[in-house]
Amino acid sequence: DQQVKQNSPSLSVQEGRISILNCDYTNSMFDYFLWYKKYPAEGPTFLISISSIKDKNEDGRFTVFLNKSAKHLSLHIVPSQPGDSAVYFCAASDPVGGGATNKLIFGTGTLLAVQP
Amino acid sequence: NAGVTQTPKFRVLKTGQSMTLLCAQDMNHEYMYWYRQDPGMGLRLIHYSVGEGTTAKGEVPDGYNVSRLKKQNFLLGLESAAPSQTSVYFCASTLGLGEKLFFGSGTQLSVL
């Protein structure tokens, strides 16, 4: 039972264009969402996060949008650069099921390829 | 800054062998986690610790044991390795609730 879903295994965009990565979740109790970026042979690194009390958070070229009614969040990268090519994981924090543990539930990841 | 360091980076085991993966962090983080990454499965939590001397089961704990004798170290043990444990293992740590996780670079384990 996948509580966090990334339905697109891969995405290819041209350099300079917008990349939109999507994530859906099933548990309405999730209160905090994060995006991690992972290069081959490296561990995931934190990219951007959003609290459930907000609907948008922006950091430079990266913006995360949260639609609680649809249980959907998306990561926008504008403009996309070849160095953005990586696997992107969506993750959610469950304050009820996870308790005071800071456990994260991850999606399956989306491989983004930015073509020069 | 070293951050989160995992050893070894690669290992090949035969079925039934045992081994220990070491995770060390130098950020004085309270919380530490072991995840495994498999194709099409994302990152799944094996075990975690909310402080020195404490451990708890995650989503997929069977076949693994852990220990957190020192705050900076979190060990993951496989007592009798099975081919189903072939995976990439990631350790992560965080300062506390609501803080982002810092990950190590991973251990590629193959069980033949």
Side-chain angles (χ1 to χ4, degrees), chain A residues 13-80:
Chain A
V13 299
Q14 288 295 121
E15 182 178 5
R17 307 294 289 268
I18 184 171
S19 295
I20 299 176
L21 294 91
N22 294 303
C23 178
D24 297 296
Y25 61 96
T26 58
N27 189 338
S28 59
M29 299 304 294
F30 289 159
D31 67 344
Y32 192 57
F33 302 88
L34 306 91
W35 285 93
Y36 279 81
K37 176 179 178 180
K38 183 184 179 305
Y39 291 117
E42 294 184 11
T45 55
F46 171 76
L47 187 59
I48 192 169
S49 62
I50 187 167
S51 166
S52 60
I53 63 173
K54 295 185 176 182
D55 55 17
K56 176 182 174 181
N57 188 28
E58 190 172 356
D59 183 2
R61 297 186 295 115
F62 303 92
T63 303
V64 56
F65 296 92
L66 176 62
N67 182 334
K68 288 190 295 291
S69 61
K71 296 191 182 69
H72 176 84
L73 64 155
S74 60
L75 174 67
H76 293 211
I77 306 174
V78 182
S80 301

Side-chain angles (χ1 to χ4, degrees), chain A residues 2 4-6 21-23 33-39 42-48 73 75 86-92 104-112, chain B residues 36-44 90 103:
Chain A
Q2 198 89 36
V4 178
K5 302 177 183 178
Q6 294 177 257
L21 294 91
N22 294 303
C23 178
F33 302 88
L34 306 91
W35 285 93
Y36 279 81
K37 176 179 178 180
K38 183 184 179 305
Y39 291 117
E42 294 184 11
T45 55
F46 171 76
L47 187 59
I48 192 169
L73 64 155
L75 174 67
V87 176
Y88 289 79
F89 289 101
C90 169
L104 296 180
I105 300 170
F106 284 84
T108 53
T110 296
L111 175 61
L112 173 65
Chain B
R36 59 178 288 175
Q37 183 194 5
D38 302 290
M41 302 292 287
L43 290 153
R44 293 182 295 168
F90 289 101
F103 284 84

